[in-house]
Amino acid sequence: TFLTLRNPVIPLCALVLATQGIFYNIFVFRCFLSYIVSPSTCHRFVGYLEEEAVVTYTRASGELEQGVVREAVNLAAPAIAKDYWRLSQNVAIKDVLYAVRSDGTTHRFCQSQHSSWQSSASSHDVNPFAIREPDMHVKGRNIKFTRETVAKYVNASEKLI
């Protein structure tokens, strides 16, 4: 999504793909070994990575709203983002940042929950997204899900079923 904003040259795209490929293979191998030893630690680590992503996108969207990056304030969202996050046709890049951050909040929450479930056999917490994925109206600009928020969402999901 973000690469399409600048239409980078082919060597830069190749460099990004190579870096991702190398990191992915190292990360997966190490995670595989780490997951055998301690699954809860792996889930917690990924939850922390997602937390940092949420902080980054929160900061970026705040700076965009404050006009720090003037050239991006009215920048239209790329088509790939509109398609992926099912956004309306007239959205701006700030809406894409909200959508990406919203995904990060879901991933962060789920990874933290998986970590807790792995380390505690008596956990009564539930995955609120097991029944349905929340849309932007549920996640929107909310960067935290409290236990009460989760309980309300699960109850609403169960009523739909």
Side-chain angles (χ1 to χ4, degrees), residues 69-134:
V69 188
R70 289 190 185 114
E71 63 271 9
V73 171
N74 295 317
L75 185 63
I80 190 171
K82 294 174 191 176
D83 183 50
Y84 183 80
W85 283 284
R86 296 182 295 279
L87 301 170
S88 63
Q89 291 303 312
N90 59 347
V91 297
I93 195 67
K94 71 175 182 173
D95 299 303
V96 174
L97 287 173
Y98 293 141
V100 174
R101 182 180 69 181
S102 188
D103 276 355
T105 63
T106 303
H107 301 156
R108 173 194 62 193
F109 180 85
C110 289
Q111 291 300 326
S112 295
Q113 287 299 96
H114 286 304
S115 176
S116 298
W117 294 331
Q118 293 288 332
S119 61
S120 172
S122 64
S123 175
H124 297 292
D125 289 338
V126 297
N127 181 350
F129 312 128
I131 298 172
R132 66 184 170 121
E133 173 70 17

Side-chain angles (χ1 to χ4, degrees), residues 15-154:
L15 182 63
V16 168
L17 287 174
T19 304
Q20 287 177 340
I22 292 167
F23 176 79
Y24 174 80
N25 285 306
I26 292 170
F27 186 74
V28 166
F29 179 71
R30 287 189 179 180
C31 278
F32 173 73
L33 295 177
S34 300
Y35 201 84
I36 290 172
V37 176
S38 177
S40 65
T41 301
C42 291
H43 286 294
R44 187 70 65 198
F45 174 70
V46 173
Y48 287 137
L49 289 178
E50 290 293 345
E51 176 67 24
E52 285 304 311
V54 169
V55 168
T56 299
Y57 289 115
T58 299
R59 186 176 302 125
S61 60
E63 289 178 358
L64 200 60
E65 288 174 352
Q66 294 169 4
V68 174
V69 188
R70 289 190 185 114
E71 63 271 9
V73 171
N74 295 317
L75 185 63
I80 190 171
K82 294 174 191 176
D83 183 50
Y84 183 80
W85 283 284
R86 296 182 295 279
L87 301 170
S88 63
Q89 291 303 312
N90 59 347
V91 297
I93 195 67
K94 71 175 182 173
D95 299 303
V96 174
L97 287 173
Y98 293 141
V100 174
R101 182 180 69 181
S102 188
D103 276 355
T105 63
T106 303
H107 301 156
R108 173 194 62 193
F109 180 85
C110 289
Q111 291 300 326
S112 295
Q113 287 299 96
H114 286 304
S115 176
S116 298
W117 294 331
Q118 293 288 332
S119 61
S120 172
S122 64
S123 175
H124 297 292
D125 289 338
V126 297
N127 181 350
F129 312 128
I131 298 172
R132 66 184 170 121
E133 173 70 17
D135 62 16
M136 289 301 296
H137 299 290
V138 173
K139 295 188 286 186
R141 296 182 184 198
N142 183 8
I143 61 170
K144 281 191 174 181
F145 281 94
T146 63
R147 280 197 158 83
E148 291 123 11
T149 308
V150 168
K152 287 178 187 175
Y153 186 76
V154 169

